[in-house]
Amino acid sequence: MTRVLAVANQKGGVAKTTTAHALGFAFCELGRRVLLVDLDPQACLTFSVGFDPDGLDRSLHDVLVRKMKVADARRRVDGVEGLDVLPSTIDLAGSEVHLLTRTAREHVLERALQSVLDDYDIVLIDCPPSLGILTINGLTAAEEVLVPLQCEALSHRGVGQLLETVDDVKMFANADLKVRGVIATMYDGRTVHGRTVLDDIGKRYGLELIGPPVRKSIRFAEAPEMGMCILQHAPGSQGAEAYRTIARILDSDGTGGDANAFAAPALDADHPEDPDSDLDSE
């Protein structure tokens, strides 16, 4: 049975797209067939997998306005066996207006995906940084939600609103939806602040912390320009290994441990540098 996961957080810049892309590749490494759905009009996921959003003649927008089926709009991601993408363009912003006039508008994406679910083991939906009708469509189509959370205090703001939206979706559109857990991103173990935020995630929200924290690295910024994810661009990096671990946990549907299972090691005053950090001198 196909598993549909939404990657959502209403705050921008918390590595939603990076997480969706990296997990998609990691699942393919495990032999899974994966469809990435770019539900963000900014089309960052589409760009990250190697497509120019401005040059596409078909996209998710065409699916949502009933001009095209998913099977005709999706594209194969070059160089990654088993990975497809349902791309986005700026036209998707106009889809929001169209959806507001539709009956059962929350279910449009869910219904569109039904025709291709048998082609995939996993569908990953990259939601936009908002709680609008596009995100609600993503949550309605999904079985589970993954919440990337930047390890900084301000990123905590808005997660409560996301959880309230999840509750609303469960009540009115998708009773089976559940939050699978939090993925800690942009973690800098050299700072007390980063460690404090990481330790607070499970306590604050009562959600599971899935896998190890994903550490900051300049490799994440470099990869999209090459149409790659971190697992391709820097396969031996700490970030790549973190996403592989998270994918294995999700793939096995294990518990992944409690919220403190992957707490960061204590700071070492003699070796404060993280060699994979985006703050280093390379």
Side-chain angles (χ1 to χ4, degrees):
M1 183 175 178
T2 307
R3 191 175 182 188
V4 184
L5 302 169
V7 182
N9 188 327
Q10 77 163 31
K11 185 179 185 301
V14 298
K16 287 189 302 295
T17 296
T18 295
T19 295
H21 190 188
L23 288 179
F25 189 90
F27 283 131
C28 287
E29 286 187 335
L30 296 173
R32 306 294 177 248
R33 299 167 300 162
V34 179
L35 174 66
L36 299 175
V37 179
D38 191 350
L39 198 54
D40 189 345
Q42 297 179 79
C44 293
L45 180 58
T46 300
F47 178 81
S48 295
V49 298
F51 294 103
D52 178 6
D54 296 331
L56 295 177
D57 58 358
R58 58 188 189 275
S59 70
L60 178 57
H61 166 74
D62 299 296
V63 174
L64 295 183
V65 300
R66 295 188 287 193
K67 290 182 179 180
M68 190 174 293
K69 294 181 178 180
V70 172
D72 298 321
R74 65 187 173 183
R75 292 176 179 267
R76 179 64 51 85
V77 177
D78 290 339
V80 188
E81 184 176 355
L83 184 62
D84 291 348
V85 63
L86 183 54
S88 172
T89 66
I90 192 61
D91 292 336
L92 191 58
S95 302
E96 293 192 83
V97 177
H98 175 81
L99 288 173
L100 291 174
T101 68
R102 294 275 297 272
T103 302
R105 54 186 176 268
E106 299 89 352
H107 296 272
V108 173
L109 179 61
E110 176 192 20
R111 292 174 178 172
L113 290 173
Q114 288 297 319
S115 63
V116 299
L117 288 184
D118 289 342
D119 297 339
Y120 303 100
D121 300 302
I122 296 171
V123 176
L124 282 166
I125 303 173
D126 183 23
C127 296
S130 71
L131 297 179
I133 189 61
L134 290 176
T135 293
I136 290 173
N137 260 261
L139 296 177
T140 301
E143 301 167 0
E144 300 167 276
V145 186
L146 303 175
V147 184
L149 185 62
Q150 183 181 6
C151 290
E152 294 183 3
L154 287 179
S155 71
H156 281 251
R157 301 188 63 187
V159 174
Q161 290 176 291
L162 172 63
L163 297 180
E164 290 177 2
T165 299
V166 168
D167 287 340
D168 288 343
V169 170
K170 290 173 67 175
M171 185 177 298
F172 297 109
N174 182 1
D176 296 326
L177 181 66
K178 66 178 182 179
V179 179
R180 178 63 178 83
V182 171
I183 296 173
T185 62
M186 303 183 187
Y187 175 65
D188 188 349
R190 297 173 299 176
T191 68
V192 173
H193 177 71
R195 290 174 49 77
T196 300
V197 171
L198 178 65
D199 291 341
D200 188 49
I201 290 175
K203 301 172 187 175
R204 182 183 294 253
Y205 301 111
L207 299 175
E208 179 188 338
L209 178 61
I210 307 172
V214 181
R215 295 176 179 270
K216 283 185 176 182
S217 172
I218 190 62
R219 305 306 181 200
F220 286 108
E222 295 170 348
E225 187 176 2
M226 304 176 186
M228 296 180 177
C229 74
I230 188 69
L231 281 77
Q232 297 166 290
H233 175 57
S237 66
Q238 292 179 340
E241 288 303 321
Y243 277 118
R244 286 191 180 96
T245 299
I246 293 167
R248 287 195 296 269
I249 291 171
L250 294 172
D251 189 61
S252 65
D253 200 27
T255 63
D258 61 30
N260 296 313
F262 292 96
L267 287 173
D268 184 342
D270 295 326
H271 301 88
E273 295 289 337
D274 178 353
D276 203 33
S277 170
D278 63 351
L279 301 178
D280 61 27
S281 59
E282 60 181 320

